[in-house]
Amino acid sequence: MRHLLIGTLIFTLGTGCTKRGADPTRSPTAASQQSGQPDLQTPREPKPSAIVKLADAYFASLKPEQRPKDREQARDEFVRGFFTGFTNHTGSMSGGEDAELKGFKAGQEFRRANPDKLRDTFESFGYVATEAEGIWMAGFEQSGFKPRNSPEEWWLSGMADTVSDLLEDQKIPDGGISIRITGYLSPRGSYGHLGSYDHEFYATKIFKSNGG
């Protein structure tokens, strides 16, 4: 097994502004890390109670003069950072608010310490375990997956441990490539570059398909 075009997926993940409804959210990317600019996001729903408790414990550890004035916004930043770190457990984040950075580190630590909690954690954020076949079209600011027999298009994201039988230097033709994906599908909303996609899909496995 080879990792799925990790460079391509990380890059396209970074160039898309992902949001659900009115709440944009993105994972940190190679592009943002190299520029030193933080990925500014608003909170995604739902906010898992267990992660909210981690955020509150972090705030309680701060000196009174260090505590954020807007507690709810800081909590949202922590939760958002946690999800970003959980889905990018080998990456890094620079810039951003302290609450989001702390959440990012907490998400990474949790993912590394609890590899068996992948499904539970995704589901706590409203994502659903899903398998699908369709056409993947990838390129600059593009990572669109069109499921077979569906009018939708999903923003396809990889993770550091996503596995695939595609070669690392696989060339994706202009018309896309037929693949089968396994992973976690977001609630319906607006995701990816310019919010042009109906769902976001975090893939754990991606394999070539005959398209039949």
Side-chain angles (χ1 to χ4, degrees), residues 144-211:
F145 175 80
K146 294 184 177 181
R148 186 183 303 162
N149 301 321
S150 172
E152 294 185 336
E153 187 168 11
W154 306 345
W155 179 259
L156 180 59
S157 298
M159 297 182 285
D161 51 359
T162 297
V163 295
S164 174
D165 60 358
L166 299 179
L167 299 176
E168 292 180 359
D169 58 352
Q170 180 88 38
K171 299 297 183 182
I172 306 300
D174 292 340
I177 185 172
S178 183
I179 59 174
R180 183 177 71 258
I181 58 177
T182 301
Y184 299 92
L185 182 68
S186 75
R188 186 176 177 85
S190 299
Y191 296 85
H193 182 57
L194 301 179
S196 303
Y197 298 79
D198 302 297
H199 295 269
E200 175 181 50
F201 191 97
Y202 276 95
T204 57
K205 298 178 182 179
I206 305 181
F207 297 103
K208 289 180 288 186
S209 169
N210 59 19

Side-chain angles (χ1 to χ4, degrees), residues 5-209:
L5 297 173
I6 294 299
T8 300
L9 277 178
I10 289 177
F11 182 77
T12 54
L13 177 61
T15 55
C17 180
T18 315
K19 64 180 182 178
R20 182 166 80 206
D23 296 332
T25 178
R26 300 186 342 183
S27 292
T29 66
S32 65
Q33 292 158 16
Q34 290 171 0
S35 66
Q37 297 300 315
D39 279 1
L40 301 179
Q41 312 168 34
T42 55
R44 60 176 64 222
E45 299 291 345
K47 294 193 287 285
S49 59
I51 302 173
V52 170
K53 289 181 180 179
L54 285 179
D56 290 342
Y58 158 65
F59 299 140
S61 70
L62 299 174
K63 295 179 180 178
E65 63 271 17
Q66 296 175 322
R67 292 172 186 169
K69 295 180 179 179
D70 190 333
R71 181 67 169 268
E72 189 62 30
Q73 178 179 338
R75 181 184 287 116
D76 291 339
E77 291 169 352
F78 185 99
V79 173
R80 180 177 59 247
F82 183 99
F83 184 85
T84 302
F86 181 80
T87 56
N88 185 24
H89 66 288
T90 63
S92 62
M93 175 183 284
S94 60
E97 298 298 327
D98 187 66
E100 186 171 8
L101 291 171
K102 294 297 184 182
F104 178 80
K105 292 179 180 178
Q108 288 188 314
E109 292 172 359
F110 181 85
R111 171 73 182 278
R112 290 193 288 261
N114 300 277
D116 59 328
K117 298 295 185 181
L118 189 68
R119 178 167 183 159
D120 289 346
T121 305
F122 268 111
E123 288 181 346
S124 73
F125 279 95
Y127 285 65
V128 178
T130 304
E131 293 185 10
E133 290 192 35
I135 301 298
W136 178 43
M137 301 181 68
F140 179 67
E141 298 183 344
Q142 180 185 27
S143 184
F145 175 80
K146 294 184 177 181
R148 186 183 303 162
N149 301 321
S150 172
E152 294 185 336
E153 187 168 11
W154 306 345
W155 179 259
L156 180 59
S157 298
M159 297 182 285
D161 51 359
T162 297
V163 295
S164 174
D165 60 358
L166 299 179
L167 299 176
E168 292 180 359
D169 58 352
Q170 180 88 38
K171 299 297 183 182
I172 306 300
D174 292 340
I177 185 172
S178 183
I179 59 174
R180 183 177 71 258
I181 58 177
T182 301
Y184 299 92
L185 182 68
S186 75
R188 186 176 177 85
S190 299
Y191 296 85
H193 182 57
L194 301 179
S196 303
Y197 298 79
D198 302 297
H199 295 269
E200 175 181 50
F201 191 97
Y202 276 95
T204 57
K205 298 178 182 179
I206 305 181
F207 297 103
K208 289 180 288 186
S209 169

